[in-house]
Amino acid sequence: MNAMDTIGQLISITLVFSTALIFTGLGGLFSERSGVVNIGLEGLMIAGAFGAAVFTDQAIKGGMTHGAPWIGLIAGLVLGLVVSLLHAVATITFRADQTIVGVVINILAAGLAVYLTKSLYEGSGQTPTLEYVFNPVAIPGLSDIPLLGKGIFTAYPTTYIVIGVVILSYIVLYRTTFGLRLRAVGEHPSSADTVGISVTKYRYIGVMLSGALAGLGGATIALTTTSNFAHNTISGQGFIAIAAVIFGKWNPLGVAGAALFFGMAQALRNWAQLFEWSHHIPNEFFYMLPYLLTLIVLAGAVGRSSAPGALGEPYDPAKR
């Protein structure tokens, strides 16, 4: 295998691992831009992965074939959105501590998903391996470009979708009235309320967008990487996505770049196995690398990233 092929494979694997992180990171961005801390991204991803695997499996059993993964993808989005509604009600309506609610969402989603999986599949801790999942799609002409063709232009449908979501998120946040108002309630909710902007409405939208996008992130993993759902399907990806939000400075393009960085850290584990020298390094080193880099990046980002001004602060109209 020549150098160009190995670099192309690294790019391809990086995109596979980064796609779910970008979806989820963008979800966390919308929630936190509205002023609501979302530690529950891990749980939202679990909900999305569970929903995608179960609904895809049921669609296949119902006679669908290649359309089944799309049913699962939509199911993951919807289930993530529904679980995020719990987060929104607790933190916005009842003004509960946002960090604690996020932790509860993580624990609840993980436990409930495993329980339902065992209930649906006769005590098995995982769903069956899905016969039909997403396959890489090559863009005619572009996929033949040396080095980048197979790496970038031969990718899963979810990768192409997430590129569009990144661009759309940037336009929505910085080029629309909705984005201006969402950022306003995250920076100065009292001022936003004074001019007639509903803080509650926009925070609900921000949190529910985070659920929908994180659900897509979890569904992406189940439908491209693992081909099923199990208790370890997500394995801390939600927490890495939180790091991408901070490292990306709450900007869609920055979050995407940070997610690509963390995705490459995960891709190195698979990519290194192509070389003889990797056999002399313990596998545990490659497994811990993404989390180690997450800690290092977060330590370096402390004091350098400027979070939304009212992030984590429940809004009480009576105190405005």
Side-chain angles (χ1 to χ4, degrees):
M1 185 177 295
N2 59 47
M4 291 186 67
D5 287 337
T6 58
I7 293 173
Q9 285 200 7
L10 177 60
I11 294 172
S12 178
I13 299 171
T14 296
L15 288 176
V16 171
F17 283 112
S18 299
T19 299
L21 293 177
I22 296 173
F23 271 129
T24 309
L26 290 174
L29 179 147
F30 276 105
S31 178
E32 300 203 351
R33 274 293 189 176
S34 73
V36 180
V37 173
N38 198 340
I39 302 296
L41 293 180
E42 178 85 359
L44 296 173
M45 289 187 78
I46 291 172
F50 167 78
V54 170
F55 277 83
T56 301
D57 179 56
Q58 295 304 311
I60 292 171
K61 290 177 179 177
M64 293 191 69
T65 55
H66 299 291
W70 293 103
I71 298 294
L73 190 68
I74 295 170
L77 181 154
V78 172
L79 204 56
L81 189 150
V82 169
V83 175
S84 71
L85 184 58
L86 298 175
H87 190 286
V89 170
T91 58
I92 302 170
T93 301
F94 295 103
R95 304 189 190 96
D97 185 282
Q98 297 172 6
T99 301
I100 293 175
V101 173
V103 172
V104 171
I105 291 293
N106 289 335
I107 296 171
L108 177 65
L112 191 58
V114 172
Y115 170 76
L116 291 175
T117 300
K118 287 180 177 290
S119 299
L120 291 170
Y121 297 101
E122 301 178 349
S124 174
Q126 61 185 29
T127 63
T129 300
L130 299 172
E131 183 179 357
Y132 295 98
V133 292
F134 288 123
N135 294 310
V137 176
I139 298 179
L142 295 178
S143 60
D144 297 325
I145 298 175
L147 184 61
L148 298 180
K150 292 184 178 180
I152 297 177
F153 300 110
T154 304
Y156 289 104
T158 47
T159 300
Y160 298 126
I161 292 171
V162 85
I163 293 172
V165 172
V166 170
I167 297 170
L168 182 61
S169 296
Y170 185 86
I171 293 172
V172 166
L173 274 178
Y174 297 108
R175 296 290 186 270
T176 67
T177 301
F178 169 81
L180 177 62
R181 291 177 176 177
L182 185 77
R183 288 184 286 123
V185 301
E187 292 286 352
H188 304 287
S190 297
S191 301
D193 194 10
T194 300
V195 297
I197 298 172
S198 173
V199 176
T200 298
K201 171 186 172 182
Y202 279 91
R203 286 193 169 182
Y204 260 88
I205 292 173
V207 173
M208 293 178 72
L209 279 173
S210 78
L213 290 169
L216 282 176
T220 295
I221 293 176
L223 296 174
T224 61
T225 307
T226 64
S227 298
N228 73 342
F229 171 80
H231 72 279
N232 61 346
T233 295
I234 302 304
S235 296
Q237 299 295 295
F239 298 109
I240 295 177
I242 294 172
V245 175
I246 299 171
F247 188 38
K249 298 183 178 180
W250 291 270
N251 180 292
L253 301 182
V255 170
L260 284 168
F261 171 77
F262 290 127
M264 179 174 289
Q266 296 182 71
L268 287 172
R269 178 181 64 208
N270 294 41
W271 182 71
Q273 294 176 359
L274 300 173
F275 302 95
E276 183 70 27
W277 53 263
S278 68
H279 301 160
H280 304 290
I281 301 174
N283 285 333
E284 290 76 10
F285 171 80
F286 293 107
Y287 279 98
M288 76 174 187
L289 187 59
Y291 308 100
L292 179 62
L293 287 176
T294 300
L295 290 173
I296 293 172
V297 165
L298 282 178
V302 171
R304 298 184 182 181
S305 297
S306 180
L311 181 62
E313 300 176 7
Y315 179 63
D316 185 355
K319 296 180 180 179
R320 117 180 133 163

